[in-house]
Amino acid sequence: QLIERTRDIGEVENVYALTPMQKGMLFHSLMDAESGAYFEQTTFDLRGRFQADIFQDSLNQLAQRHEIFRANFISGWQDEPVQVIFRRKEVGFRYEDVRHLDDQERDAYVQEFIRQDKAAGFDLSRDALMRVAILRTGDEDYYFVWSSHHILMDGWCVALVTDEVFEAYFAAVEHRAPKLAPVTPYSQYIAWLEAQDVEAAASYWKEYLLGYDQQTSIPTGKVGAKADGEQFEHVLCDLGQDLTGRLEMVAKQYHVTANTLLQTAWGLLLQKYNGSDDAVFGGVVSGRPAEISGIENMVGLFINTIPIRIRSQAEDTFADLIRANQQQALASQDYETYPLYEIQALTEQKQELINHIIVFENYPVEEQVEQLGEGAASDFVISNAGMIEQTNYDFNLVVMPQEAMKIRFEYNAKLYDREAVERTQGHLIQLLEQVVANPNIRVQELDVLSEQEREQILRVWGDTAAEYPSEQTIHGLFEAQAVQTPEQPALYFEGEQLTYRELNERANRLARTLRSQGVTKDRLVGLMTERSVDMIVGMLGILKAGGAYVPIDPTYPEERIRYMLDDSGAELLLTQS
């Protein structure tokens, strides 16, 4: 059936299952074909003598050696999606000479080409999932646009692939055989993956997340923000050599990785933001099992996203936590290939379990690409290498461990405000400075606020002393104001406006309804609304009826909402609809 279905693409060589991460990426592309998630694009300038036709041959040699570049991903066939490997499938290639354009036209053309290339995306079921475009911009100037879908390979593979293509190119130019490592087929990894104990993994992750009943969020800086589309931006944080050196010293002193140290610090910051001693976020693991021979040179997608849970108690020291988290990370290694969607299914939060990820990048892609032009065989130099990649999360922390460690805060600007992201960056540095100065600092002693923020909170926002009739109730004061200025606007929200009279009348109507339902003095009423006019009407109405309100966020998991209602003894719940 598959052979019939794919006959127009080519002759089928092999068919096998997808890795958990590949399944997630395929599912995401089917759900949102317009999204730029998992599209990867590397661009660079090449100057010197260069033969594009030989380079195209080198790309196709790469595809013949590594089966993943001859793959397409088929869903809707039987119960499980599959990757189909074709005997021959060429890498997408395009060469254009744009030397006839003047400088301004050429720059505009290149930028538009990059934009269109990204907008075109990939049809995972049919297209060549890696393509290279070379724009000749001068007699010895070339601009490369090298695009692929992340479903093919992870970042570790980028250096392997570019090294191999350029080695094949140099060998062809010099009329010699290329020096290439032996190929271990990706299907060996798939077979290893299918032999893993999924029941043990499910049991481990269920236990790991037991008792976690909330959602860990990062301040967006935008009130009631909801992502409406995508517009990705980033803030680059340079920790500098001094702080990086001190972080590495603490990591060595306590026999933990820099990754564990940073994950712990990030988890503690999230706890501060969420008023909790428990935080969960996503961590990307490399997923290359040492027991497969030649795994370090295998090309394919091995990474996986797993939950990272950071728990603490007030008396815990930072040193205690990093040691405990290192032990936990080692225990998780045996189960880190288990699919995230299966882990999420074990929890009450489901797909809301994780809303951002932290990635530790041990491969400076841009530097590696630029080094390709430095060999003795090279007749050219490569410069201005840049790479864009995008996950399906609205917030990512990408850690680049170098002599001066850098952290790139990538965020969807439709959801997160830049100032809020910069504040988060400042809070993380503030926290890191404290823990490297004193690893035995207790969690309750950690303070993420800068002096400027402390001044703002205490001296500016905190300066709220004012005379008011304290013997009056809030709703009594509101009613007195409604008598004085009935037609003045009392409430604005997203284009809706109520005067004091209108707001008072709506609250009175609600209060009468609540009274008829038995609300009297000291009765608790659940109030479950989004931020809205209804929320204010609900607060005033409940107070006017004599009761008190129990605010409940409608985005909470159902179990938590039920617990809050049971625990408070509220017999009545106000909702927006």
Side-chain angles (χ1 to χ4, degrees), residues 525-577:
V525 180
L527 178 61
M528 187 167 74
T529 70
E530 294 175 348
R531 187 183 291 263
S532 61
V533 166
D534 291 335
M535 185 171 77
I536 306 300
V537 171
M539 288 176 175
L540 288 170
I542 293 168
L543 294 173
K544 282 170 175 274
Y549 58 87
V550 180
I552 297 172
D553 189 330
T555 63
Y556 283 162
E558 188 179 333
E559 297 272 330
R560 190 170 185 192
I561 292 171
R562 289 189 183 284
Y563 170 79
M564 291 175 75
L565 290 171
D566 291 344
D567 190 55
S568 65
E571 293 176 8
L572 214 61
L573 176 65
L574 273 181
T575 61
Q576 258 175 301
S577 58

Side-chain angles (χ1 to χ4, degrees), residues 117-168:
D117 180 65
K118 186 178 180 190
F122 292 99
D123 178 345
L124 297 182
S125 67
R126 304 195 63 78
D127 291 350
L129 301 181
M130 183 167 76
R131 58 176 177 253
V132 176
I134 302 174
L135 306 179
R136 188 170 187 178
T137 56
D139 291 344
E140 290 199 339
D141 292 295
Y142 303 84
Y143 189 78
F144 277 63
V145 182
W146 195 321
S147 304
S148 61
H149 197 285
H150 202 351
I151 202 167
L152 291 188
M153 59 181 178
D154 50 39
W156 181 266
C157 296
V158 174
L160 297 175
V161 167
T162 50
D163 281 352
E164 182 168 318
V165 171
F166 276 90
E167 166 58 18

Side-chain angles (χ1 to χ4, degrees), residues 179-190:
K179 299 170 191 156
L180 301 172
V183 172
T184 308
Y186 188 52
S187 52
Q188 281 194 24
Y189 171 68
I190 301 291

